[in-house]
Structures are given as C-alpha cells and as structure tokens.
Amino acid sequence: MRYQLAIFDMDGTILNTLQDLTNSLNAALQLSGYPQHTLEEVRFFVGNGIRKLIERGVPAGTPVAQIDKVHQDFTEHYRVHCADTTQPYAGIPELLQQLRNAGCKTAVVSNKADYAVQELCKQYFDGMFDFAVGERKNILKKPAPDAVNEVLQQLQTDHSQAVYIGDSDVDYATAKNAGVDCILVEWGFRDRAFLESLGATVFAKKPEDILDIVE
C-alpha cells in the first residue's frame, strides 16, 4: 500500500454529526435567551473545537463569563445527545474494514471534545481504529500538528507513510503543518471549490476513492 496509516477527521468525514451539534448548541443558547441557528449556519461554525463553536454561536459582544455558561450547558447537553441523529456516512464502515484488511492502520484526530470522540468511536466503529484523540486540555487543537504527531508516535509510523483525511480548511492546514499527505472528501461540511481555492488537489467523491488513493 502507498500508506501504512490513514488518519481521519471525525465531523464531516466519517460521521455526519451536524444535526446533533446544532441541537446541542441551540439548547444551550436557549437557556441563556440567545437566538438559535439553522443547520447551515452551524455548518460553518464547526471545525475549530467546541469553544470556537460556542463563540461563533453566541451574539457578538457576549461577555466571557456568559460564553463559559453556554459552553458548560452545551457540554452537558451534548454528553447525553451526541448520538441522537449522528450516523456514519454511507460506505465509511466498509472502507475502514477494507483498509484494515489490507494492513493499513487507522486513527482519528478530531477537534471534537475527547469524551465525544471516544464515545462515538465505540458506538459506531468499535475496534476499527488503532488510536483516536479529540480535544483535550493543554493540547493544541488542529490545525496545530500536535495530535497528528501523537498518533504517529503511538503507532510508530513515519510522516511519509501516513495520510490525513478530512473535509475542511482546518484539516488541509493540519496535514500541511504535520508534514503528511492529505485527502479531502466532498461529502463533508465544506465544498470542493472552497477547498481548491486553498490549494488542495486530492479529493474523494465517495469513500471507495480513498481506498484507491491509499492503495
């Protein structure tokens, strides 16, 4: 195989999490009397971690203490409701199994809170990833390369033998910062034209395309 390790983003890449993220954000905003947001608005809020999602969701000028409250309310709601409507994208479980059958290691690096990454991996992809990491304290979020480098170290894989697979500008920058190749999917939260404007050149229209590229 061309690569020995395939590292996946989570939201918008292997799981469609948008409705549950929107529901939890709106539930938290409602508790503080703030306006709620549509699914399409939230689509452009995600990608940089939960804190940034909250900051983008609250009204401009919201005091830090109030942002903290909305953040806490979101966390409490999302812990319970992170899998209400979330589902793997069609073909993703099969892709992961095919990669593993071919001897390719698999991992997840996400800016989603680590508790949710672990829960969702267990619920939808139990035993299908060698390592998974989400947002944690004192670890720089994507597009910093820290989490990708942690995966490479844990799985004893060289940068040249790994590929990062995501759906956003954050993922593209993460791959560049980590010095690994990148595949961007077309079914996620950002469209191809936007990603091409950043310089991205390798795309997957469907999960099977990833297998073709990795092989």
Side-chain angles (χ1 to χ4, degrees):
M1 299 194 77
R2 183 178 178 185
Y3 301 104
Q4 295 183 10
L5 170 62
I7 307 172
F8 290 83
D9 169 53
M10 179 168 273
D11 296 4
T13 301
I14 59 173
L15 285 177
N16 188 347
T17 57
L18 192 56
Q19 187 64 64
D20 287 332
L21 288 168
T22 300
N23 292 347
S24 289
L25 175 62
N26 284 335
L29 292 170
Q30 186 175 34
L31 287 174
S32 291
Y34 294 144
Q36 300 186 12
H37 293 283
T38 67
L39 196 75
E40 287 307 304
E41 288 173 326
V42 176
R43 178 186 300 275
F44 293 98
F45 293 169
V46 300
N48 296 92
I50 296 302
R51 182 68 179 193
K52 187 61 69 174
L53 168 64
I54 303 304
E55 291 174 354
R56 291 167 176 163
V58 298
T62 298
V64 171
Q66 191 59 31
I67 295 174
D68 291 343
K69 178 184 183 304
V70 176
H71 191 168
Q72 180 62 37
D73 289 340
F74 173 95
T75 298
E76 292 177 4
H77 190 276
Y78 196 62
R79 280 187 185 275
V80 178
H81 299 282
C82 68
D84 286 0
T85 67
T86 287
Q87 290 293 329
Y89 288 101
I92 290 295
E94 293 82 0
L95 167 67
L96 294 172
Q97 192 59 61
Q98 289 171 319
L99 288 170
R100 296 179 68 79
N101 289 345
C104 185
K105 297 174 185 177
T106 53
V108 171
V109 168
S110 173
N111 276 344
K112 179 186 287 296
D114 191 63
Y115 71 82
V117 170
Q118 304 306 327
E119 173 62 30
L120 293 171
C121 278
K122 181 174 178 56
Q123 179 163 343
Y124 294 110
F125 308 110
D126 195 21
M128 301 182 79
F129 288 108
D130 296 289
F131 197 64
V133 293
E135 179 184 357
R136 295 153 296 159
K137 289 182 179 179
N138 303 320
I139 299 292
L140 292 175
K141 298 190 296 291
K142 299 185 301 182
D146 299 48
V148 171
N149 288 334
E150 180 180 353
V151 170
L152 294 173
Q153 182 178 16
Q154 289 286 337
L155 299 182
Q156 299 182 333
T157 305
D158 187 79
H159 291 73
S160 64
Q161 299 172 329
V163 62
Y164 191 84
I165 302 155
D167 72 303
S168 72
D169 47 324
V170 175
D171 296 319
Y172 180 63
T174 299
K176 289 185 67 175
N177 291 338
V180 299
D181 288 348
C182 183
I183 302 170
L184 293 175
V185 306
E186 296 187 29
W187 55 81
F189 298 165
R190 301 289 187 272
D191 63 46
R192 176 164 177 160
F194 169 69
L195 297 170
E196 285 182 329
S197 74
L198 304 176
T201 58
V202 182
F203 292 88
K205 290 180 180 289
K206 54 189 185 302
E208 305 93 274
D209 295 341
I210 295 173
L211 187 63
D212 292 338
I213 297 168
V214 170
E215 288 184 328

